């Protein structure tokens, strides 16, 4: 059974800081891994999708990496802004889609 | 990016009534849609996988007679919470996978918050 863990559960940083969110999974036989953002009371917004054959994806200030052999993915956010404050979820597709519990990020002005 | 729309975004109903939530893919076709439930401060829990033209596949522990799912077209899936009770109050989210690209990327609706009095 796939298990997805996100560390830390919560993170508070000053504006402008670069930060890394971590996601680990127990079964390396995955099809893809996706990072999402969720604002309070809202649905999920897809940030980055990494296929199993890829090692990283970039979009603007976001960079996601994937290391299947170690069962890890990181989401790097450069020059963080208050508008980045949200909960970030990673989800792994193997036999099914499994979500992590999320990292609640607060960027302070 | 692809757009998935859910309606209604908020609904309050009396205990014992039924509530229908719609999930539409606005600019793409989706043979498969997924329904999730989210409790406060928790991650999403998959309830069922909805396939166009066939019966939905429910996750273990999800009552299929309580949560009726219909996927009548390539752009619409509905979730009906029948005889709702206060413990059904939750945030329900749908997602869809775009048929054409087959990347496995999922697009999510904005969610529907159900409150059962």
């Amino acid at each position: 059974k796939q298990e997805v863990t996100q560390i830390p559960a919560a993170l508070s940083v000053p504006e402008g800081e670069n930060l890394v969110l971590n996601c680990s999974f127990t079964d390396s036989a995955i099809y893809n891994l996706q990072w999402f953002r969720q604002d309070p009371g809202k649905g999920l917004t897809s940030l980055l999708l990494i296929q199993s054959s890829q090692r990283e994806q970039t979009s603007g200030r976001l960079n996601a990496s994937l290391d299947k052999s170690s069962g890890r993915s990181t989401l790097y956010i450069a020059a963080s802004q208050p508008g980045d404050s949200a909960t970030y979820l990673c989800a792994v597709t193997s036999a099914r889609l499994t979500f992590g519990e999320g990292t609640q990020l607060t960027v302070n002005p | 990016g692809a757009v998935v729309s859910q309606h209604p975004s908020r609904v309050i109903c009396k205990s014992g009534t039924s509530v229908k939530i719609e999930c539409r893919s606005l600019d793409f076709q989706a043979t498969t849609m997924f329904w999730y439930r989210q409790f406060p401060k928790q991650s999403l829990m998959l309830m069922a996988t909805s396939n166009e033209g066939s019966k939905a596949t429910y996750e273990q522990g999800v009552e299929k007679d309580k949560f009726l799912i219909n996927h009548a077209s390539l752009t619409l899936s509905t979730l009906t919470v029948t005889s709702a009770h206060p413990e059904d109050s939750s945030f329900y989210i749908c997602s869809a996978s775009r048929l054409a690209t087959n990347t496995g990327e999922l697009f999510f609706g904005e969610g529907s918050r159900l409150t059962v009095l």
Side-chain angles (χ1 to χ4, degrees):
Chain A
K1 177 187 172 185
Q2 179 74 272
E3 293 181 4
V4 180
T5 304
Q6 288 188 245
I7 295 173
L11 180 63
S12 181
V13 300
E15 182 177 5
E17 202 164 282
N18 302 323
L19 56 100
V20 175
L21 307 181
N22 297 290
C23 173
S24 61
F25 47 95
T26 54
D27 183 356
S28 61
I30 66 171
Y31 297 117
N32 60 51
L33 183 147
Q34 201 165 349
W35 282 93
F36 297 92
R37 168 186 174 141
Q38 186 175 28
D39 293 287
K42 301 288 187 180
L44 301 182
T45 300
S46 176
L47 297 175
L48 290 164
L49 169 71
I50 310 178
Q51 300 294 346
S52 62
S53 58
Q54 298 173 324
R55 294 193 64 85
E56 68 175 342
Q57 284 287 324
T58 298
S59 175
R61 294 183 293 110
L62 305 179
N63 175 276
S65 68
L66 174 64
D67 184 342
K68 273 198 341 177
S69 60
S70 65
R72 292 179 184 174
S73 176
T74 62
L75 178 67
Y76 175 82
I77 302 177
S80 59
Q81 303 171 357
D84 294 331
S85 298
T87 296
Y88 291 80
L89 293 156
C90 75
V92 173
T93 301
S94 45
R96 52 188 290 177
L97 180 67
T98 306
F99 280 88
E101 290 292 325
T103 295
Q104 186 171 351
L105 172 66
T106 303
V107 181
N108 301 300
Chain B
V3 178
V4 175
S5 174
Q6 270 186 252
H7 178 79
S9 58
R10 293 178 184 273
V11 56
I12 300 173
C13 70
K14 293 182 179 180
S15 186
T17 60
S18 295
V19 174
K20 180 185 286 187
I21 301 170
E22 292 186 348
C23 177
R24 292 181 185 272
S25 54
L26 296 186
D27 53 357
F28 67 99
Q29 293 182 326
T31 54
T32 304
M33 291 185 174
F34 305 89
W35 287 95
Y36 306 83
R37 183 173 182 175
Q38 187 177 34
F39 293 103
K41 297 189 183 299
Q42 293 188 24
S43 189
L44 278 70
M45 281 176 31
L46 179 64
M47 297 175 64
T49 302
S50 167
N51 294 296
E52 186 266 337
S54 63
K55 291 183 178 180
T57 303
Y58 290 81
E59 295 297 301
Q60 192 172 8
V62 178
E63 299 176 58
K64 59 181 66 177
D65 294 330
K66 174 121 182 108
F67 298 100
L68 300 179
I69 291 173
N70 181 276
H71 194 158
S73 76
L74 287 172
T75 60
L76 174 65
S77 176
T78 61
L79 167 68
T80 302
V81 182
T82 63
S83 186
H85 289 97
E87 58 265 31
D88 298 326
S89 299
S90 191
F91 193 52
Y92 293 88
I93 303 177
C94 71
S95 71
S97 180
R98 187 166 18 195
L99 170 64
T101 61
N102 197 32
T103 62
E105 186 173 10
L106 291 176
F107 301 93
F108 285 77
E110 286 290 319
S112 300
R113 184 163 300 284
L114 171 63
T115 303
V116 184
L117 304 177

